[in-house]
C-alpha cells in the first residue's frame, strides 16, 4: 500500500451516459427494492479498485474497466485504489443529477504519468501442462487449443474454472485464481484403462480381440473400459468365443480352454506291409492302417522302409472324411520320382525350363517368415513371427487373405484348390486354380500364393529340383 504522500492522484476526464450501450439492461441487476439499477463503467486498468456509494453488489473487473451497479438517483461515487489517492466523483458536476434505471454510464479517469510507476494492465499468463498430451482443455467452459500437451493463455486477473478430458482417462476439473504472478498448473489425468490377460490351453492358439490379432498362446495388455469379444483361433480347430465387459481400472483374466479339433482320417494301404507312416515329421504308425483324428488341412506324409525309396506326399485332410492313400514303395535301385517337363515364368519374368516333379525324396516346405500387419485397435503396425511347415503355411494364408467385399456381401465361402511350382531357389511360379469356388475368391487365392516368401525347395538325389505343389485356400465367413 502506498502512503498518501507518495500515492498518485486520479482525475476525471469525463462522466456521461452511453445511450447506445445496452449493457445495463442486457446484464440487469436489481437493488434492494427490486428496482433495476444503472451501470457505471469506470475505465481504470488494473485490479484492486473498490467503490463506495449507493453501490449494489460487488463490482466486476473486465479488461481495462470496472462495472459498478448503482441504485436509481445516485450521484456520488468514491473510487479507492492502493496505487492512488481516493477520488470522490460528484456526477452533478458533469450534468447528471442522478443515474437512471437501465442506463449505462461511462466514467473515464486520467492516470498521471509523470513519475508514475509502470502501468499494470491486470493481465497474467496461465501455463497449463496436461498429461496425456492429447487431452482436451476447457477454461470457463470454452474449448482451448493445446499444443504438445501445453496450454498458454493470457488472462485478466480473476477466478476461473477448468476441465480436462481425454478418452480412457478420468476427467479432472477445478478452479484457479489469476493474481499478481503467472499461474503454472500441471494436470495429470488418472487412467481408467482396464488390464486384460488371456491364456490358452492349446499351444499356438491365436488370440483375437474384436477381430484384431493380439498375440499367440498368451497376451496381456490394457484396453479402454467396454465390451469385447475374445476369440481363440487355430487352423484345424473350432473357434472359441467369449464376450466380456471390462470396467474402469479393473483387471480380468480370460482362460481359453482346449480348442475342439476338426479332424478327418487317413486310410493308408502301402506296400510292402509294415512300412512306416510319418506325418509332418512324426511317426504315426505302420501300413496298412487307418489313422483317425488327423487335423484338417494340408500335411506332409512320408512312407519309409529300409531298402526302399522314401515316398513323400502332400495330402489334404477334410472334416469328417477319410482320405485313401495307397501304392507301393520303389526299391532303391529304381527312381521314385515321377516327372513332367514344363516351362514356367516366375514373377520377375524369368523363364524356367526343366522337369517339374510331382513327388521327390524331400518335398518343398514353407519355411516361415515375419509378417507385418496393421493393428487397428492399437493403431500401429505389428510383426508376428510365423513358423515353417504346413501349420505355418495355414497361419500365413489366414493372415494374408483379404476377404473380397463382393464375396463377403453375397455370403460366398469355400475352399479354392490351387497348384504352383516351387522353383529350385524356393520362389513360387505358375500359380493356377485347380478347383474354383468363385471368381473373386479364386483371384484372391492366386494373389496370396504369388505373394508368398520363398520356400525351402524340394530335393531329389540331394539336389534342388522344381516341384509341383497343391494347396487348399480356405475362405470362411465368421
Amino acid at each position: 500500500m502506498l502512503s498518501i504522500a507518495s500515492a498518485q492522484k486520479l482525475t476525471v476526464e469525463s462522466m456521461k451516459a452511453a445511450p447506445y450501450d445496452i449493457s445495463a439492461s442486457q446484464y440487469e441487476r436489481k437493488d434492494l427494492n427490486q428496482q433495476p439499477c444503472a451501470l457505471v463503467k469506470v475505465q481504470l486498468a488494473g485490479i484492486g479498485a473498490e467503490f463506495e456509494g449507493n453501490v449494489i453488489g460487488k463490482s466486476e473487473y473486465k479488461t481495462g474497466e470496472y462495472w459498478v451497479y448503482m441504485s436509481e438517483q445516485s450521484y456520488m461515487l468514491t473510487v479507492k485504489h492502493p496505487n492512488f489517492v481516493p477520488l470522490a466523483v460528484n456526477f452533478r458536476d458533469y450534468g447528471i443529477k442522478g443515474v437512471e434505471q437501465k442506463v449505462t454510464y461511462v466514467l473515464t479517469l486520467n492516470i498521471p504519468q509523470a513519475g508514475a510507476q509502470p502501468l499494470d494492465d491486470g493481465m497474467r499468463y496461465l501455463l497449463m501442462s496436461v498429461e496425456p498430451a492429447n487431452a482436451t482443455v476447457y477454461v470457463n467452459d470454452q474449448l482451448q487449443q493445446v499444443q504438445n500437451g501445453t496450454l498458454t493463455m493470457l488472462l485478466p486477473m480473476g477466478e476461473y474454472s477448468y476441465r480436462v478430458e481425454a478418452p480412457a482417462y478420468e476427467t479432472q476439473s477445478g478452479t484457479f485464481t489469476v493474481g499478481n504472478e503467472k499461474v503454472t498448473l500441471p494436470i495429470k489425468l488418472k487412467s481408467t484403462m482396464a488390464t486384460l490377460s488371456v491364456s490358452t490351453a492349446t499351444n499356438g492358439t491365436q488370440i483375437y480381440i474384436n477381430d484384431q490379432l493380439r498375440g499367440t498362446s498368451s497376451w496381456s495388455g490394457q484396453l479402454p473400459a467396454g465390451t469385447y469379444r475374445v476369440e481363440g483361433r487355430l487352423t484345424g480347430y473350432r473357434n472359441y468365443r467369449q464376450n466380456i465387459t471390462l470396467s474402469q481400472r479393473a483387471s480380468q483374466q480370460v482362460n481359453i480352454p482346449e480348442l475342439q479339433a476338426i479332424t478327418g482320417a487317413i486310410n493308408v494301404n502301402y506296400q510292402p506291409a509294415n512300412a512306416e507312416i510319418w506325418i509332418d515329421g512324426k511317426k504315426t504308425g505302420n501300413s496298412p492302417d487307418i489313422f483317425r483324428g488327423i487335423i484338417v488341412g494340408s500335411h506332409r506324409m512320408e512312407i519309409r522302409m529300409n531298402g526302399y525309396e522314401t515316398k513323400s506326399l502332400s495330402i489334404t485332410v477334410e472334416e469328417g472324411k477319410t482320405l485313401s492313400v495307397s501304392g507301393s514303395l520303389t526299391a532303391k535301385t529304381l527312381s521314385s520320382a515321377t516327372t513332367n517337363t514344363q516351362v514356367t515364368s516366375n514373377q520377375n519374368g524369368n523363364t524356367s525350363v526343366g522337369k517339374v516333379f510331382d513327388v521327390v525324396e524331400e518335398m518343398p516346405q514353407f519355411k516361415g517368415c515375419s509378417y507385418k500387419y496393421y493393428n487397428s485397435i492399437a493403431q500401429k503396425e505389428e510383426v508376428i513371427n510365423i513358423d515353417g511347415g504346413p501349420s505355418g503355411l495355414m497361419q500365413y494364408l489366414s493372415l494374408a487373405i483379404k476377404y473380397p467385399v463382393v464375396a463377403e456381401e453375397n455370403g460366398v465361402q469355400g475352399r479354392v484348390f490351387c497348384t504352383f511350382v516351387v522353383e529350385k531357389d524356393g520362389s513360387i511360379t505358375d500359380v493356377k486354380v485347380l478347383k474354383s469356388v468363385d471368381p473373386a475368391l479364386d483371384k484372391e487365392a492366386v494373389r496370396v500364393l504369388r505373394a508368398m516368401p520363398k520356400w525351402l525347395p524340394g530335393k531329389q538325389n540331394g539336389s534342388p529340383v522344381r516341384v509341383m505343389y497343391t494347396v487348399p485356400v480356405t475362405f470362411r465367413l465368421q
Side-chain angles (χ1 to χ4, degrees):
M1 176 73 71
L2 296 176
S3 66
I4 297 297
S6 62
Q8 304 172 75
K9 293 183 180 180
L10 296 170
T11 58
V12 178
E13 178 177 318
S14 63
M15 169 62 182
K16 57 186 177 181
Y20 299 109
D21 189 334
I22 62 172
S23 300
S25 57
Q26 185 176 6
Y27 303 100
E28 182 179 295
R29 185 180 292 182
K30 294 184 178 180
D31 61 16
L32 298 178
N33 296 318
Q34 298 301 307
Q35 296 299 312
C37 295
L39 171 59
V40 180
K41 293 184 176 181
V42 182
Q43 295 187 339
L44 176 62
I47 66 169
E50 297 180 354
F51 302 90
E52 295 180 356
N54 292 329
V55 177
I56 305 300
K58 187 178 180 180
S59 61
E60 299 179 13
Y61 180 73
K62 310 290 184 179
T63 303
E65 65 183 18
Y66 289 85
W67 286 20
V68 182
Y69 288 87
M70 304 186 70
S71 59
E72 185 182 19
Q73 298 304 315
S74 299
Y75 62 90
M76 288 296 298
L77 179 65
T78 299
V79 182
K80 292 184 177 182
H81 193 282
N83 294 334
F84 305 101
V85 175
L87 174 65
V89 183
N90 189 332
F91 300 163
R92 292 177 177 176
D93 293 341
Y94 304 95
I96 300 173
K97 293 183 179 180
V99 295
E100 300 179 9
Q101 296 179 354
K102 298 185 178 181
V103 176
T104 301
Y105 299 84
V106 178
L107 172 59
T108 303
L109 301 179
N110 289 324
I111 300 175
Q113 299 299 317
Q117 297 179 354
L119 179 63
D120 186 350
D121 62 0
M123 304 296 287
R124 300 291 186 271
Y125 270 104
L126 165 67
L127 181 61
M128 179 186 290
S129 60
V130 296
E131 188 179 337
N134 64 343
T136 303
V137 177
Y138 297 86
V139 175
N140 283 356
D141 292 324
Q142 297 296 316
L143 178 64
Q144 305 299 324
Q145 184 175 4
V146 178
Q147 293 183 340
N148 300 322
T150 301
L151 169 65
T152 303
M153 294 183 68
L154 187 60
L155 296 170
M157 296 182 181
E159 296 284 336
Y160 295 86
S161 64
Y162 71 88
R163 185 173 76 257
V164 183
E165 303 173 345
Y169 287 85
E170 187 175 299
T171 298
Q172 182 174 329
S173 60
T175 61
F176 62 90
T177 301
V178 177
N180 291 327
E181 303 295 335
K182 175 176 68 176
V183 178
T184 301
L185 191 59
I187 303 295
K188 184 176 181 179
L189 299 183
K190 295 181 179 179
S191 173
T192 61
M193 296 283 278
T195 300
L196 175 64
S197 298
V198 182
S199 62
T200 62
T202 303
N203 188 40
T205 299
Q206 294 178 326
I207 298 168
Y208 285 78
I209 298 178
N210 286 359
D211 291 323
Q212 295 296 319
L213 178 63
R214 305 311 292 266
T216 301
S217 297
S218 65
W219 177 83
S220 181
Q222 290 191 321
L223 296 169
T227 300
Y228 296 88
R229 182 176 66 255
V230 179
E231 291 185 84
R233 303 180 187 176
L234 184 61
T235 301
Y237 294 80
R238 302 198 187 282
N239 294 347
Y240 172 86
R241 297 183 180 89
Q242 179 180 343
N243 292 326
I244 63 170
T245 299
L246 297 176
S247 304
Q248 293 183 355
R249 290 187 286 273
S251 294
Q252 190 164 337
Q253 174 75 40
V254 173
N255 300 311
I256 297 178
E258 287 279 355
L259 299 184
Q260 181 182 353
I262 306 174
T263 64
I266 307 174
N267 181 359
V268 181
N269 185 12
Y270 239 85
Q271 298 299 320
N274 293 319
E276 295 180 350
I277 307 302
W278 293 68
I279 299 177
D280 297 333
K282 296 181 180 180
K283 183 178 179 181
T284 308
N286 297 84
S287 176
D289 204 347
I290 298 177
F291 303 97
R292 298 177 175 84
I294 306 298
I295 301 297
V296 297
S298 296
H299 299 273
R300 180 185 178 188
M301 174 184 285
E302 292 182 345
I303 301 96
R304 306 176 183 176
M305 194 167 192
N306 290 335
Y308 292 83
E309 298 287 352
T310 298
K311 184 73 172 181
S312 297
L313 302 172
S314 178
I315 62 173
T316 300
V317 177
E318 298 185 36
E319 181 180 0
K321 296 182 179 180
T322 299
L323 174 68
S324 294
V325 178
S326 61
S328 299
L329 295 179
T330 303
K332 283 190 174 181
T333 55
L334 301 177
S335 173
S336 63
T338 60
T339 65
N340 296 313
T341 299
Q342 191 173 35
V343 179
T344 62
S345 296
N346 60 23
Q347 297 174 11
N348 298 321
N350 299 322
T351 301
S352 299
V353 181
K355 295 180 179 180
V356 177
F357 290 71
D358 293 323
V359 180
V360 291
E361 293 173 349
E362 293 182 31
M363 291 294 289
Q365 183 172 320
F366 180 81
K367 66 178 181 179
C369 63
S370 294
Y371 187 80
K372 181 184 292 186
Y373 71 102
Y374 183 77
N375 187 325
S376 61
I377 291 181
Q379 296 186 352
K380 64 178 182 180
E381 286 189 339
E382 295 184 352
V383 177
I384 184 172
N385 292 322
I386 300 177
D387 295 333
S391 61
L393 173 61
M394 292 301 103
Q395 183 180 4
Y396 172 87
L397 294 178
S398 68
L399 290 172
I401 286 174
K402 297 179 181 178
Y403 214 110
V405 176
V406 174
E408 186 175 11
E409 291 176 347
N410 294 327
V412 179
Q413 59 182 359
R415 182 173 293 171
V416 180
F417 284 82
C418 296
T419 63
F420 54 86
V421 175
V422 181
E423 297 291 343
K424 295 178 182 180
D425 65 351
S427 60
I428 305 302
T429 63
D430 200 31
V431 180
K432 296 179 180 179
V433 175
L434 186 63
K435 180 181 179 182
S436 173
V437 173
D438 174 84
L441 299 187
D442 297 347
K443 183 178 179 181
E444 178 61 10
V446 171
R447 182 194 70 80
V448 172
L449 293 176
R450 283 177 175 170
M452 285 191 298
K454 287 186 176 182
W455 284 38
L456 295 174
K459 291 184 178 181
Q460 182 69 19
N461 296 325
S463 299
V465 293
R466 306 172 67 217
V467 181
M468 180 75 72
Y469 201 94
T470 303
V471 66
V473 181
T474 302
F475 293 84
R476 180 180 300 161
L477 293 171
Q478 300 296 323

